[in-house]
């Protein structure tokens, strides 16, 4: 089973395309929608929905993946639910770059303080990061610097922020999903 979390733009047709591409790895791909506007509510909702999906699946190696804001949530929710994560161009600090777009960006700061201290130390090897060199939204060199001590980072030479095509990374994602 693969759980897919959309980015800030939940209605982008690219979400459907990514779900279809992920079905080449596992036919059981579940799209979980969330508001993007209310971080504390989103966290509770995502924890509940991901936990329910895991409980209803017999997959011994489920995976959660997301793009942008979905990458932010995939890393945290995946860690809290004990499953592997693949994150594309994750928005690591929405409290700083989402002001004016969400109702309470400060809730992201509160979520960070409520999570396990240094959770990435405990999550080492459980997350794969795929970053675009052509991300038109933000410079991913800072993301790579922040995450590379904990997770493998793969650079993509072609895709932009929304990562329309993930097909050339499917074999690596499949291998990561199956790895013990």
């Amino acid at each position: 089973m693969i759980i897919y979390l959309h980015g800030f733009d939940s209605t982008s047709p690219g979400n459907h395309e990514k779900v279809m591409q992920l079905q080449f790895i596992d036919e059981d791909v579940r799209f979980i929608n969330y508001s993007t506007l209310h971080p504390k509510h989103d966290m509770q909702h995502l924890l509940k929905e991901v936990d329910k999906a895991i409980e209803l699946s017999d997959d011994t190696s489920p995976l959660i993946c997301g793009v942008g804001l979905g990458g932010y949530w995939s890393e945290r929710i995946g860690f809290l639910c004990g499953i592997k994560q693949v994150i594309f161009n994750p928005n690591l600090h929405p409290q700083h770059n989402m002001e004016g777009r969400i109702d309470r960006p400060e809730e992201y700061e509160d979520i960070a303080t409520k999570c396990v201290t240094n959770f990435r130390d405990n999550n080492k090897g459980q997350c794969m990061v795929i970053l675009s060199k052509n991300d038109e939204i933000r410079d991913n060199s800072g993301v790579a610097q922040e995450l590379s001590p904990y997770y493998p980072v793969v650079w993509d030479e072609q895709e932009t922020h929304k990562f329309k095509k993930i097909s050339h990374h499917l074999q690596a994602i499949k291998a990561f999903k199956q790895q013990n």
Side-chain angles (χ1 to χ4, degrees), residues 129-133 139-142 144 153-157 169:
V129 182
I130 304 175
L131 301 175
S132 171
K133 287 194 174 183
D139 176 8
N140 280 323
S141 59
V153 174
V154 176
W155 284 99
D156 183 282
E157 301 285 338
H169 298 287

Side-chain angles (χ1 to χ4, degrees), residues 62-82:
L63 179 79
I64 187 169
C65 92
V67 178
L69 188 59
Y72 170 89
W73 286 117
S74 292
E75 182 190 20
R76 279 157 183 75
I77 301 298
F79 167 72
L80 292 171
C81 291

Side-chain angles (χ1 to χ4, degrees), residues 81 115 165:
C81 291
C115 273
K165 291 183 184 175

Side-chain angles (χ1 to χ4, degrees), residues 144-172:
Q145 188 174 357
E146 189 170 338
L147 296 181
S148 64
Y150 309 99
Y151 315 133
V153 174
V154 176
W155 284 99
D156 183 282
E157 301 285 338
Q158 293 137 11
E159 292 303 312
T160 58
H161 180 72
K162 289 190 177 186
F163 248 99
K164 188 174 181 179
K165 291 183 184 175
I166 61 172
S167 55
H168 46 287
H169 298 287
L170 292 179
Q171 289 307 314

Side-chain angles (χ1 to χ4, degrees), residues 84-99:
K84 288 185 174 182
Q85 314 103 49
V86 174
I87 55 179
F88 294 86
N89 293 336
N91 181 351
L92 298 182
H93 303 286
Q95 68 271 28
H96 300 304
N97 55 40
M98 300 286 289
E99 285 187 27

Side-chain angles (χ1 to χ4, degrees), residues 34-46 69 72-73 77 94-95 98 102-111:
Y34 60 102
S35 78
T36 73
L37 299 177
H38 305 98
K40 282 187 179 178
H41 171 76
D42 289 343
M43 184 163 186
Q44 290 174 338
H45 171 73
L46 288 168
L69 188 59
Y72 170 89
W73 286 117
I77 301 298
Q95 68 271 28
M98 300 286 289
I102 59 176
D103 285 350
R104 294 178 283 268
E106 69 280 358
E107 287 184 4
Y108 284 108
E109 199 71 56
D110 190 48
I111 288 166

